[in-house]
Amino acid sequence: MHFIMKKLINDPANLTAELLEGYTLAYPNKVKLVNEKIVVRANEKAEDKVAVISMGGSGHEPAVSGFVGDGMLDASVVGDIFAAPGAPKVFEALQMFKRDAGILLVVLNHAGDVMSANMAMQLAERAGIKVKMLLTHEDISAGIDTPVEDKRGLAGCVPLYKVAGAAADEGKSLDEVYEIAERFNQQMATLAVAVTNCTHPQTGQAISNLADDEMEIGMGQHGEAGGGISKILTADETAERMVLPLIEATGASSGDTVQLLINGVGGSTLMEMNIVYRKAHQILTEKGITLVPGIVDELLTVQEMGGFQMILCKLDPDHVTYLEAPANAPYWTTQ
């Protein structure tokens, strides 16, 4: 077996437990760890407000747990590296947040996560827990008109957490929080590009196979195939190739307001990502589209993979308000 990984870790079997311990020790005023793999707010939300919970495998830090905090998620349920948490653990979190106001469970469209979430929803129904599930599926790499079940959920979940969390904190009902978040879900689109490979930190093996002079637009966040491998392009060429289909997918046009996010996936620098943002911003502005303040940062990573995800969100006026509302999570703070 050929190992190519070079990481500062201890026992590969303890990666998730150790990273969650370190994370919650670093931000004790914002988050705490309960029952091994459930991260919750340090300051609990009042029970008369809707709880917002999400889930996902570890290895994608800061997602998902980095967005647990005031104004965003109430809890995250964490799986092992690149693996969905089991249904019993998701159900445990739903039991923990059972309340008359209800729970919104946000799930990214990946087979393992969806299976666990569906099983937990069945258990919750039998237990009399009021919960609605929202599935994110904004990846357009398979085609804009591809059926929802074949579109992956990528880093667009993060601004959606912000919108849903703010609506819940405002005191909206479960039906209202769901409608606001689902409308946002339907109006966002994401494309990813990978320029270098990443490794699975438990096995040390590469999970994608790109040559030194290649890139792949549309690659998924676990090395899944995308829209095709090509020779590497410049930042401007890459930005143009990605933002134009995103504009088409969201239906954004002159007079609309959008938010543009560049999510680094682990191995690309802020210099590269800001250059990409610059070109995409230029193209959107030339089309008469107004941009609210954007984000160029690492939100949902894939270990040391080089590349980024470009996320475009067409905003209704209430979405602008919820994005601007106060939040105090370890990796998203709005004053």
Side-chain angles (χ1 to χ4, degrees), residues 228-294:
I229 295 174
S230 68
K231 296 298 181 185
I232 196 161
L233 305 173
T234 67
D236 281 1
E237 290 169 338
T238 304
E240 183 172 6
R241 187 168 293 192
M242 296 175 76
V243 77
L244 291 177
L246 292 175
I247 293 170
E248 181 182 356
T250 59
S253 60
S254 180
D256 286 331
T257 299
V258 301
Q259 185 179 44
L260 175 67
L261 303 93
I262 304 296
N263 166 51
V265 292
S268 290
T269 66
L270 284 171
M271 176 196 75
E272 296 167 88
M273 293 190 287
N274 278 300
I275 292 171
V276 168
Y277 185 92
R278 163 190 162 275
K279 182 61 179 179
H281 188 287
Q282 286 177 356
I283 292 170
L284 288 160
T285 302
E286 287 167 1
K287 292 182 176 295
I289 297 169
T290 300
L291 290 94
V292 301

Side-chain angles (χ1 to χ4, degrees), residues 10 22 48-49 61 79 86 96 113 136 161 163 257 289 296 317 331:
N10 300 309
D48 62 351
K49 293 184 177 179
E61 290 68 34
M96 194 179 299
D113 292 282
T136 68
Y161 296 155
V163 168
T257 299
I289 297 169
V296 180
Y331 288 89

Side-chain angles (χ1 to χ4, degrees), residues 124-333:
E125 183 178 357
R126 292 176 200 156
I129 300 173
K130 182 180 178 182
V131 55
K132 279 195 166 189
M133 178 175 141
L134 188 153
L135 187 68
T136 68
H137 44 72
E138 86 279 11
D139 179 16
I140 63 167
S141 62
I144 294 172
D145 298 324
T146 299
V148 165
E149 57 269 23
D150 295 329
K151 297 169 75 173
R152 298 174 291 227
L154 300 179
C157 62
V158 178
L160 186 144
Y161 296 155
K162 178 68 185 71
V163 168
D169 271 21
E170 191 182 57
K172 296 291 187 184
S173 69
L174 178 57
D175 286 344
E176 290 171 328
V177 174
Y178 179 89
E179 186 279 325
I180 291 164
E182 177 60 17
R183 183 158 36 86
F184 185 87
N185 191 29
Q186 296 295 333
Q187 295 178 181
M188 68 174 178
T190 298
L191 262 180
V193 60
V195 296
T196 62
N197 301 306
C198 72
T199 52
H200 193 298
Q202 285 183 309
T203 66
Q205 299 300 298
I207 62 171
S208 55
N209 187 29
L210 283 173
D212 290 345
D213 62 345
E214 291 177 340
M215 62 188 289
E216 182 167 11
I217 292 178
M219 180 179 279
Q221 58 201 22
H222 305 95
E224 301 95 334
I229 295 174
S230 68
K231 296 298 181 185
I232 196 161
L233 305 173
T234 67
D236 281 1
E237 290 169 338
T238 304
E240 183 172 6
R241 187 168 293 192
M242 296 175 76
V243 77
L244 291 177
L246 292 175
I247 293 170
E248 181 182 356
T250 59
S253 60
S254 180
D256 286 331
T257 299
V258 301
Q259 185 179 44
L260 175 67
L261 303 93
I262 304 296
N263 166 51
V265 292
S268 290
T269 66
L270 284 171
M271 176 196 75
E272 296 167 88
M273 293 190 287
N274 278 300
I275 292 171
V276 168
Y277 185 92
R278 163 190 162 275
K279 182 61 179 179
H281 188 287
Q282 286 177 356
I283 292 170
L284 288 160
T285 302
E286 287 167 1
K287 292 182 176 295
I289 297 169
T290 300
L291 290 94
V292 301
I295 293 176
V296 180
D297 206 345
E298 291 185 339
L299 305 173
L300 191 157
T301 63
V302 196
Q303 296 301 300
E304 71 282 7
M305 179 181 282
F308 61 88
Q309 296 177 15
M310 181 181 288
I311 305 147
L312 188 67
C313 310
K314 180 181 171 184
L315 305 175
D316 292 332
D318 60 341
H319 293 148
V320 176
T321 300
Y322 292 128
L323 286 171
E324 293 175 345
N328 189 26
Y331 288 89
W332 190 313
T333 301

Side-chain angles (χ1 to χ4, degrees), residues 37-71:
K37 291 185 178 178
I38 300 175
V39 176
V40 302
R41 292 187 190 189
N43 305 308
E44 294 181 14
K45 181 194 290 179
E47 287 208 5
D48 62 351
K49 293 184 177 179
V50 173
V52 183
I53 297 175
S54 193
M55 55 186 281
S58 55
H60 297 296
E61 290 68 34
V64 174
S65 301
F67 307 104
V68 174
D70 301 349

